[in-house]
C-alpha cells in the first residue's frame, strides 16, 4: 500500500495526465494492480460523496494509529499531506472523525461506526486486487488464509510446503485468528479461505466440511481416569476441568453436550489457546476435552487421550465467500488441501 501511494504522488517532472505520469502508472501495473487511481483527482464513483480511495486508505490507517506522522511514514506520504487528506475527508463528510489530545489523534464515536463499512469497502478492493493479479498470470498469485491456531499448526504446514514446492512463485499468507474473526475476514474479502471448526455459524459464507472427528479427553498418564477405556461426562465432573472459553464456539458445543445430558459444565480453568490447555493438562492442572488432531503435533508422554461418551463431534471446515469465486490459484490450493485431508480422515473417526 505504501509503495502505491508513493507512486501516486505527483512527480515534479510530470503533471497528472501527461505521458510520463501515465507511463509510470502503467509500469507499476505490471507488478501489482492498485486499488488507488493514477489520477489524484479520480474519485470513487457512485458513492454520493466525492471521496477518493486514497482518502479512505488514510482514514483506515488513522483508526489504528495515534498520530498523522506514523501514518505518513507507513503510507510513504508527508505528514502535512495526511493532515490535509483528513481535513478534506471531514469537510466532505460533514463529520468530525478525530479529536487531537496532547498531540495524538483519537477517533470519535462517528469514526468508529464508519469503520465497519470502511473495512468492507477496502476488503472488496483488496479482493479485486488479488483476483486481477491471478487473471493476469495464472501461475503467480497470492493466497491468503485465516485459520484457528490448532488447525493452522496441524494441517497447514505440510500442505503449504508441498504447494510452495510445486508453485514457487505463489505467495502464501496465513493469519491465525479466533473463529468469529475468521468468518468476518472471509466475508469482508480480506482473505480468500478460512479454516475453522464446524461449531461456528456463518450464514454469509459457503462452507465445506473436511472430515468428522470425535472429541477426546486428555489427562496425565497417572490420572485416575487414564485407567478407563473411555470417559463419561459425569465422571469428568469429579475432577478439575481445563476448557476452551465457554463463550467460544467449541466451548459452547461442549457445554451444550453436558446440558443435554442433564449436567452443568462449569470448568475451573478456561483458556483461549489449545497449546495453553495442553500445557495445563501436562502440568497436572486438570483434564480437558479437545479436538483429537490437537495431539498430532503434541506427542508428550505426559499426556494421554481417552474417547468421550457421549460423542462430541467436530468437523474441520473450509469456508469461502458466498458471492465471490475463488481465484484460480486458491482453487488449486484448496484441491491439494482436501486431498491431504482425506488421509487425515482415515486416521480420525467419530
Amino acid at each position: 500500500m505504501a509503495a502505491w501511494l508513493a507512486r501516486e504522488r505527483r512527480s515534479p517532472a510530470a503533471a497528472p495526465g501527461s505521458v510520463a505520469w501515465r507511463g509510470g502508472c502503467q509500469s507499476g501495473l505490471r507488478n501489482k494492480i492498485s486499488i488507488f487511481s493514477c489520477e489524484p483527482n479520480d474519485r470513487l464513483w457512485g458513492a454520493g460523496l466525492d471521496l477518493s480511495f486514497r482518502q479512505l486508505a488514510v482514514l483506515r490507517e488513522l483508526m489504528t494509529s495515534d498520530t498523522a506522522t506514523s501514518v505518513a511514514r507507513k503510507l510513504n506520504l508527508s505528514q502535512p499531506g495526511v493532515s490535509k487528506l483528513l481535513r478534506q475527508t471531514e469537510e466532505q463528510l460533514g463529520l468530525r472523525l478525530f479529536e487531537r489530545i496532547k498531540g495524538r489523534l483519537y477517533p470519535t464515536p462517528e469514526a468508529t461506526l464508519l469503520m465497519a463499512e470502511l473495512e468492507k469497502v477496502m476488503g472488496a478492493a483488496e479482493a479485486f486486487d488479488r483476483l486481477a493479479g491471478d487473471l493476469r498470470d495464472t501461475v503467480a498469485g497470492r493466497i491468503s488464509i485465516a485459520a484457528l491456531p490448532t488447525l493452522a499448526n496441524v494441517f497447514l504446514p505440510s500442505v503449504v510446503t508441498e504447494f510452495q514446492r510445486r508453485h514457487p512463485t505463489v505467495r502464501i499468507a496465513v493469519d491465525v485468528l479466533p473463529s468469529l474473526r475468521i468468518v468476518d475476514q472471509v466475508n469482508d474479502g480480506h482473505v480468500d479461505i478460512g479454516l475453522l471448526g464446524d461449531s461456528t455459524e456463518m450464514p454469509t459464507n459457503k462452507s465445506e466440511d473436511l472430515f468428522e472427528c470425535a472429541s477426546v479427553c486428555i489427562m496425565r498418564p497417572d490420572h485416575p481416569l487414564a485407567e478407563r477405556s473411555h470417559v463419561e461426562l459425569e465422571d469428568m465432573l469429579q475432577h478439575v476441568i481445563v476448557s476452551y472459553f465457554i463463550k467460544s464456539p467449541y466451548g459452547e458445543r461442549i457445554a451444550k453436550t453436558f446440558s443435554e445430558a442433564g449436567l452443568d459444565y462449569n470448568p475451573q480453568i478456561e483458556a483461549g489457546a489449545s497449546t495453553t490447555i495442553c500445557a495445563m493438562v501436562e502440568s497436572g492442572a486438570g483434564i480437558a476435552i479437545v479436538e483429537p488432531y490437537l495431539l498430532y503435533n503434541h506427542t508428550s508422554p505426559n499426556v494421554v487421550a481417552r474417547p468421550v461418551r457421549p460423542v462430541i463431534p467436530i468437523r474441520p471446515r473450509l469456508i469461502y465467500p458466498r458471492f465471490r469465486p475463488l481465484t484460480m490459484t486458491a482453487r488449486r490450493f484448496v484441491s491439494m488441501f482436501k486431498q491431504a485431508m482425506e488421509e487425515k480422515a482415515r486416521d480420525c473417526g467419530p
Side-chain angles (χ1 to χ4, degrees):
M1 183 180 292
W4 270 95
L5 280 170
R7 284 197 285 272
E8 193 185 358
R9 295 171 65 189
R10 182 178 302 182
S11 168
S18 68
V19 174
W21 173 265
R22 292 186 181 278
C25 291
Q26 291 167 357
S27 175
L29 285 171
R30 296 178 60 187
N31 298 318
K32 184 175 181 182
I33 303 296
S34 173
I35 64 173
F36 301 104
S37 58
C38 287
E39 295 285 359
N41 291 327
D42 284 351
R43 300 296 173 180
L44 183 61
W45 292 359
L49 294 167
D50 200 24
L51 295 179
S52 68
F53 270 120
R54 181 163 49 175
Q55 286 174 276
L56 297 180
V58 168
L59 177 58
R60 185 195 202 186
E61 293 299 332
L62 283 170
M63 290 294 295
T64 55
S65 304
D66 55 8
T67 66
T69 301
S70 60
V71 172
R73 189 182 306 113
K74 183 174 182 179
L75 298 183
N76 200 19
L77 295 170
S78 67
Q79 187 275 330
V82 170
S83 298
K84 180 180 179 181
L85 285 169
L86 173 58
R87 185 170 60 254
Q88 290 175 345
T89 303
E90 289 182 324
E91 290 175 354
Q92 289 169 246
L93 292 176
L95 296 169
R96 178 173 292 279
L97 301 176
F98 293 88
E99 295 286 350
R100 185 179 294 276
I101 303 174
K102 295 183 179 180
R104 296 185 179 275
L105 293 174
Y106 294 88
T108 63
E110 290 79 7
T112 302
L113 288 172
L114 287 172
M115 189 61 182
E117 296 303 318
L118 176 59
E119 285 292 346
K120 294 178 183 178
V121 172
M122 302 304 286
E126 290 164 1
F128 176 87
D129 190 10
R130 292 192 298 272
L131 180 58
D134 274 329
L135 290 175
R136 182 181 66 249
D137 186 349
T138 59
V139 177
R142 183 178 187 273
I143 303 170
S144 54
I145 306 164
L148 288 174
T150 303
L151 297 174
N153 294 336
V154 172
F155 297 130
L156 285 180
S158 60
V159 179
V160 168
T161 300
E162 178 61 19
F163 191 87
Q164 189 67 27
R165 186 188 66 79
R166 298 186 191 182
H167 307 282
T169 57
V170 173
R171 293 177 298 156
I172 301 174
V174 179
D175 201 359
V176 176
L177 298 170
S179 298
L180 296 181
R181 284 282 292 144
I182 293 172
V183 174
D184 290 339
Q185 289 288 295
V186 172
N187 188 45
D188 292 343
H190 296 301
V191 299
D192 300 308
I193 305 164
L195 180 58
L196 70 172
D198 68 316
S199 51
T200 304
E201 296 297 327
M202 54 204 85
T204 57
N205 294 314
K206 293 189 296 185
S207 63
E208 185 173 358
D209 290 344
L210 297 169
F211 60 89
E212 182 173 311
C213 293
S215 302
V216 296
C217 179
I218 60 173
M219 65 209 74
R220 284 182 57 86
D222 55 0
H223 192 279
L225 293 180
E227 300 177 358
R228 306 191 181 188
S229 60
H230 66 273
V231 177
E232 299 283 347
L233 299 184
E234 189 172 4
D235 297 331
M236 293 186 63
L237 298 180
Q238 309 304 315
H239 304 276
V240 175
I241 296 177
V242 184
S243 173
Y244 289 101
F245 288 117
I246 292 184
K247 294 301 182 182
S248 69
Y250 190 32
E252 287 182 344
R253 171 167 293 185
I254 295 172
K256 181 180 179 182
T257 303
F258 273 80
S259 177
E260 290 173 347
L263 302 171
D264 292 329
Y265 183 65
N266 296 305
Q268 291 87 342
I269 303 172
E270 296 181 63
S274 57
T275 52
T276 304
I277 292 175
C278 276
M280 292 283 187
V281 171
E282 187 172 2
S283 71
I287 60 177
I289 295 177
V290 299
E291 312 93 320
Y293 43 79
L294 175 60
L295 303 179
Y296 291 173
N297 288 355
H298 192 94
T299 56
S300 170
N302 295 322
V303 175
V304 297
R306 298 291 180 264
V308 176
R309 296 292 183 269
V311 170
I312 305 176
I314 186 167
R315 305 166 188 85
R317 170 178 287 177
L318 286 171
I319 63 171
Y320 327 99
R322 182 175 297 278
F323 303 110
R324 185 172 58 253
L326 288 176
T327 65
M328 208 172 297
T329 304
R331 289 199 298 271
R332 290 196 186 108
F333 181 87
V334 168
S335 177
M336 181 180 292
F337 187 85
K338 288 165 64 176
Q339 289 177 5
M341 291 305 98
E342 290 178 2
E343 298 179 6
K344 299 292 185 184
R346 290 193 289 269
D347 300 330
C348 176

